[in-house]
Amino acid sequence: MSQHPICIFGEVLFDIFPGGTRVLGGAPFNVAWHLQAFGMNPLLISRVGDDPMGRQIRQKMVDWGMNTDGLQLDPAHPTGEVDIALTNGEPSYNILTDRAYDHIDGDAIPPVKPQLLYHGSLALRNRVSQQALAQLPKSDDCRVFLDVNLRTPWWRRDEVLERVSHAHWVKLNEYELEELSDGSDKPEKRAIRFLRDYSLQGLVVTCGAGGAFALGEDGRITVITPPPTLTVVDTVGAGDAFASILILGLYHGWPLQQTLMYAQQFASQLVGRRGATVSDPDFYRAFATRWAL
């Protein structure tokens, strides 16, 4: 049985920016990349095409020290791609269809029983990958962290809420909370009801430039706001950066307020760079030193 306390399941792809710049992305890949930089050695379970992009992804993972045992090679479907348009720094996405990550093979997942399992909702748009996630064995006390990513037309409300019902922690943004909850209350009241309706251990709601707020099992709200001098190049991957530190906090048992503060610090620095990941170890080392990791 592989020794990977954290498993990350879902898409890995290339974000294609205006002008043709390609940056490795996909929320699960971004989270795994960040966690690797912080010494967590997560197992990424995904699938790439047998093509130059797929080989580039594998090599990038090897160069970053990531384990590639969970990265499957697909001879029939190409590596994932997303065309990104930016308006005032805010991204919009054209997610290309029928890609390798839509066909993750449950039988090819290496033997592993994670203590924490992260997955999003985009990679589950295809039944094959849905079945693969269902086949993934988990330890008896495994916590499931669901990072909601509602990308039209690749989601259905009932299916996402079914995933929520099997999760322990959920992260979403204000728009996604509105789409998945009922009533016309303010976000904080919606969040309290959502937490209780689905018996969650924790719920995190990101609010863009407004920061984020989170609730633990007791329903108390913790709020964090970004610095007023924040420099934004683009916000692609900001939520993934935030999620990676939430997972780090869960693993280390940090208090919720501390975890949110660290997550906001990290995401605030990431949006000052192009793309969702950083290839400079010193970028991460500065945070690890400050946080005494």
Side-chain angles (χ1 to χ4, degrees), residues 10 29 43 46 76 93 100 153 163 174 188 192-193 205 211 269 289 292:
F29 177 83
L43 180 68
S46 190
Y93 307 92
R163 297 294 173 189
E174 285 182 297
E188 293 81 3
I192 291 170
R193 189 165 59 247
V205 182
Q269 289 297 309
T289 300

Side-chain angles (χ1 to χ4, degrees), residues 48-96:
V48 295
D50 187 6
D51 52 34
M53 287 189 297
R55 289 187 283 275
Q56 184 178 347
I57 287 171
R58 181 176 293 274
Q59 188 59 53
K60 285 283 188 181
M61 290 177 64
V62 170
D63 293 345
W64 198 239
M66 298 174 71
N67 188 298
T68 60
D69 289 349
L71 187 67
Q72 302 173 10
L73 189 65
D74 192 320
H77 301 92
T79 299
E81 292 178 282
V82 176
D83 290 322
I84 295 180
L86 296 173
T87 304
N88 297 323
E90 291 296 324
S92 58
Y93 307 92
N94 176 27
I95 303 170
L96 303 189

Side-chain angles (χ1 to χ4, degrees), residues 125-152:
R125 64 184 180 175
N126 185 288
R127 293 292 178 188
V128 177
S129 289
Q130 287 179 23
Q131 292 168 359
L133 180 63
Q135 287 180 239
L136 179 63
K138 300 180 287 292
S139 63
D140 293 339
D141 58 349
C142 178
R143 287 177 289 183
V144 176
F145 188 109
L146 170 60
D147 194 351
V148 174
N149 290 290
L150 302 185
R151 299 286 186 249
T152 303

